[in-house]
C-alpha cells in the first residue's frame, strides 16, 4: 500500500506532502490544475522516464519520494533480498532529477539503478491511464493472472518443480556426456598419466616427511663426527696418551700405598672409584650413540631420488606436490567415467526422458485447467463489460501451446488476453485494439474480476471515466469501490458519481504565489467534499439543487 508521497520542485509543485489510506482515494479538480503532475511525480518514483522539463523553473533539481508498506510475502521483499538489501517494514522509493535531465534513484536511502527502481515499482503499483498503461497491458503478466483467478497456483508450483527436475536431469546428462567426450579425447594421455602416477604412488603429507628425514640425514655426518670425537677422548688411540680409566686406576693404587694404612685417603679412593664407574657408564652411553648414529649409506640417496621424483611429477602436471594424490584419484575417476561412461550416460538419458515426461504430464494438466479457467474468466468479464458501456466488446483468453524450446517453469502455454471492441472485429492485443478510455474501462473490468489474485497492492486509474457519464459513470464508481475492498485504489476523475465513492477525497487546485502558478492538493472533509461534488455537477455556479444531488450521491455511495 502507498502510505505517502513527498514532492519537491516538480513543475508547478514547490513542496507537497500527501498521505494515503486503504480503500478508494479520489483526486478531483479543474482541468489543468495539475492532476497529471501528481501522476508524473509518482511515475518518477516508480522508475519511469525522467526529463529536465519536470524540474520547477529556477530550481536545480526535483525530487519525489514514495513510501510503501507491502504485505508480508510480497515480491518486493524477495527482490530487495536478491539485491542484498535488508528488509524493512516500509519501502521508500526516491528519485532525484537534475535540471540537466540526469537522475539518481534510491531505495531505502541506498543508491540503486533506475532499472531496479522500475522493477520494484512494477510490483507495488499498476497505473492504468489514458496514455500510460503499466500492468495488465503487458502480456507477460496474463498467465499468472489467469492462474490466480482459477486458483491454479498449486498446480503451477508442481509444474515448476517438475521443470526444475527435468532441467536438472538434462544438466546431469550433459555433464556426463561432456565428461565422457573429454575422457575420450584424452584417453591415451590419461592412461599414461595414471600409470605413471600410480607407479609413483604419492602419499598424503609425503613431501614433508621426506624433507624432514633428509634434513636429519644431512645432519647425521656432523653428529657421527661429534660422537667419535667424544669416544676418542675416552679411548685415545695414541699410545703416548693415557686412557682416563687407567689414570684413575693408577691414582687409586698410589693412594693405597700410603704409609700408615691410608685411612685418611679413603674419601679420595671412594671418589676415584665413583669416577671410574661414571666413566664406564659414560663410555657405554657414547658407544650406544655411536651404534645408533651409524647411517645407512644408501638412505639419503633413496630419499632424495624419491623427493625429486615427486617434485618432477608435480611440475609436469602443474600442481603442488601435496595435490598429487588427489590428482591421481581425479585422473582415475576420469578413466573410470570413460570405462563406465556409456552405461551412465544411458541411465541418465533414461532419467531425462522420465523427468521430461513427468513435466509434460503436469504441464498438460495445468493447460487443461487453464482452458477451463479461461472460459470461466471470459464469462465473468462478459458480465462486467456492458455496465461500463462496453457491451460490444468481447474479451478472449487465448491459451496457446508454445514450442518445446519455450517451455518453462510456468508451463507449456502462452496465455494472452485479447479484445474485440466491435462486432466482426478479430480479437487483438489490448494496447492495439482499444482506445484510451476503452482500455481503462477494460482494465477496470479485468481488475474487478482479478482483484483477488493481484499481487500488486496499489492501482492507479487516470480518468477511467473519460467520455462517459450517468449510469455508466455510476457503474465505474461502483466497480472501483468493489476493487478497493481488496486493493488500494487511487483514481483521477472528473465524474461526481466516481468521486462520491471515495473513502478519501483530495482536491487539486492551481493558485498564484508570488506571481507564479503553483499546484496545491487539499484533503477534503465531509462538508468540503459535498461542495466539491456539487461543483462537479453544476460547474462554476453551485446551486442548492447541485448540493442536494451531491448529498444524494454521497448517501447512495454509502
Amino acid at each position: 500500500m502507498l502510505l505517502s508521497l513527498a514532492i519537491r520542485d516538480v513543475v508547478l509543485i514547490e513542496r507537497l506532502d500527501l498521505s494515503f489510506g486503504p480503500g478508494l482515494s479520489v483526486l478531483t479538480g479543474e482541468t489543468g490544475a495539475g492532476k497529471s503532475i501528481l501522476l508524473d511525480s509518482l511515475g518518477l518514483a516508480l522508475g519511469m522516464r525522467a526529463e529536465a522539463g519536470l524540474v520547477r523553473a529556477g530550481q536545480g533539481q526535483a525530487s519525489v519520494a514514495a513510501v510503501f508498506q507491502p504485505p508480508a510475502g510480497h515480491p518486493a521483499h524477495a527482490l530487495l533480498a536478491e539485491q542484498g538489501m535488508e528488509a524493512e517494514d516500509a519501502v521508500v522509493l526516491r528519485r532525484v532529477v537534475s535540471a540537466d535531465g540526469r537522475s539518481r534513484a534510491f531505495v531505502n536511502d541506498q543508491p540503486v539503478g533506475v532499472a531496479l527502481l522500475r522493477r520494484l515499482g512494477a510490483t507495488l503499483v499498476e497505473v492504468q491511464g489514458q496514455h500510460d498503461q503499466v500492468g495488465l497491458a503487458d502480456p507477460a503478466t496474463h498467465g499468472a493472472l489467469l492462474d490466480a483467478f482459477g486458483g491454479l497456483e498449486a498446480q503451477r508450483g508442481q509444474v515448476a518443480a517438475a521443470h526444475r527436475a527435468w532441467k536438472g536431469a538434462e544438466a546431469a546428462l550433459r555433464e556426463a556426456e561432456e565428461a565422457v567426450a573429454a575422457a575420450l579425447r584424452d584417453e591415451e594421455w590419461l592412461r599414461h598419466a595414471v600409470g605413471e602416477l600410480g607407479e609413483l604412488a604419492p602419499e598424503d603429507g609425503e613431501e614433508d616427511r621426506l624433507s624432514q628425514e633428509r634434513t636429519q640425514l644431512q645432519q647425521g655426518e656432523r653428529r657421527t663426527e661429534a660422537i667419535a670425537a667424544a669416544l676418542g677422548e675416552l679411548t685415545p688411540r695414541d699410545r703416548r696418551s693415557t686412557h682416563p680409566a687407567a689414570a684413575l686406576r693408577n691414582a687409586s693404587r698410589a693412594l693405597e700405598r700410603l704409609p700408615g694404612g691410608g685411612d685418611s685417603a679413603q674419601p679420595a679412593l671412594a671418589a676415584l672409584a665413583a669416577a671410574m664407574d661414571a666413566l664406564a657408564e659414560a663410555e657405554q652411553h657414547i658407544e650406544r650413540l655411536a651404534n645408533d648414529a651409524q647411517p645407512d649409506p644408501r638412505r639419503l640417496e633413496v630419499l632424495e631420488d624419491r623427493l625429486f621424483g615427486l617434485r618432477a611429477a608435480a611440475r609436469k602436471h602443474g600442481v603442488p606436490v601435496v595435490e598429487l594424490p588427489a590428482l591421481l584419484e581425479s585422473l582415475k575417476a576420469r578413466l573410470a567415467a570413460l570405462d563406465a561412461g556409456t552405461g551412465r550416460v544411458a541411465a541418465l538419458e533414461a532419467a531425462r526422458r522420465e523427468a521430461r515426461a513427468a513435466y509434460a504430464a503436469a504441464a498438460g494438466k495445468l493447460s487443461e485447467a487453464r482452458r477451463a479457467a479461461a472460459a470461466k474468466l471470459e464469462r465473468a468479464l462478459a458480465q462486467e463489460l456492458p455496465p461500463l458501456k462496453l457491451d460490444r466488446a468481447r474479451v478472449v483468453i487465448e491459451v496457446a501451446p508454445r514450442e518445446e524450446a519455450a517451455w518453462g517453469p510456468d508451463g507449456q502455454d502462452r496465455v494472452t488476453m485479447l479484445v474485440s471492441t466491435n462486432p466482426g472485429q478479430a480479437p487483438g492485443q489490448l494496447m492495439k485494439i482499444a482506445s484510451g478510455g476503452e482500455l481503462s474501462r477494460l482494465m477496470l473490468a479485468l481488475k474487478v474480476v482479478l482483484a483477488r489474485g493481484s499481487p500488486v497492492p496499489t492501482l492507479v486509474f487516470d480518468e477511467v471515466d473519460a467520455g462517459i457519464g450517468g449510469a455508466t459513470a455510476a457503474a465505474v464508481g461502483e466497480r472501483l469501490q468493489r476493487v478497493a475492498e481488496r486493493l488500494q485504489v487511487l483514481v483521477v476523475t472528473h465524474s461526481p458519481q466516481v468521486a462520491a465513492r471515495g473513502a478519501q477525497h483530495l482536491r487539486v487546485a492551481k493558485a498564484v504565489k508570488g506571481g507564479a502558478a503553483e499546484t496545491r492538493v487539499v484533503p477534503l472533509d465531509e462538508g468540503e467534499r459535498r461542495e466539491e461534488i456539487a461543483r462537479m455537477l453544476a460547474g462554476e455556479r453551485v446551486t442548492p439543487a447541485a448540493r442536494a444531488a451531491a448529498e444524494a450521491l454521497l448517501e447512495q455511495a454509502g
Side-chain angles (χ1 to χ4, degrees), residues 330-386:
S330 172
L331 295 178
K332 286 181 178 178
R334 288 174 63 182
L335 267 183
L338 174 61
D339 296 336
T342 303
R344 174 170 167 75
V345 168
L348 288 173
E349 171 61 30
R352 184 200 67 80
R353 288 196 303 269
E354 189 175 318
R356 182 194 177 280
Y359 168 79
K365 291 180 181 178
L366 178 59
S367 298
E368 184 178 346
R370 279 173 171 165
R371 286 190 287 271
K376 184 178 178 182
L377 178 55
E378 287 176 0
R379 291 193 296 271
L381 288 171
Q383 295 177 359
E384 289 294 330
L385 295 178

Side-chain angles (χ1 to χ4, degrees), residues 174-256:
R174 186 164 53 252
E175 183 179 345
E177 289 175 338
E178 290 173 354
V180 169
L184 284 171
R185 288 193 301 270
D186 301 332
E187 180 179 8
E188 183 178 350
W189 176 84
L190 272 174
R191 295 195 183 281
H192 173 75
V194 168
E196 187 178 58
L197 285 176
E199 184 178 350
L200 185 63
E203 300 175 359
D204 289 332
E206 187 176 10
E207 183 183 24
D208 288 342
R209 292 197 302 272
L210 293 175
S211 296
Q212 290 173 4
E213 187 176 354
R214 180 183 177 221
T215 300
Q216 291 173 355
L217 287 174
Q218 288 173 335
Q219 294 173 348
E221 185 176 349
R222 293 193 296 273
R223 175 183 172 87
T224 301
E225 290 175 355
I227 294 171
L231 277 174
E233 293 297 328
L234 296 180
T235 58
R237 295 178 183 178
D238 188 349
R239 293 181 179 180
R240 292 172 297 179
S241 301
T242 303
H243 192 289
L248 291 172
R249 285 193 297 272
N250 291 336
S252 294
R253 284 195 291 270
L255 289 175
E256 289 172 351

Side-chain angles (χ1 to χ4, degrees), residues 34-106:
K35 296 185 293 296
S36 62
I37 299 175
L38 293 177
L39 296 185
D40 289 342
S41 298
L42 178 59
L44 271 181
L46 298 177
M48 296 180 186
R49 183 178 177 181
E51 298 178 356
L54 292 172
V55 180
R56 187 164 171 261
Q59 300 303 311
Q61 66 178 31
S63 67
V64 181
V67 181
F68 295 89
Q69 189 172 46
H74 188 272
H77 295 303
L79 188 53
L80 289 174
E82 177 186 308
Q83 302 297 318
M85 301 175 71
E86 293 185 5
E88 298 182 15
D89 291 338
V91 176
V92 182
L93 308 186
R94 185 163 64 91
R95 189 86 170 277
V96 178
V97 182
S98 314
D100 59 7
R102 291 181 296 180
S103 73
R104 291 170 292 152
F106 303 85

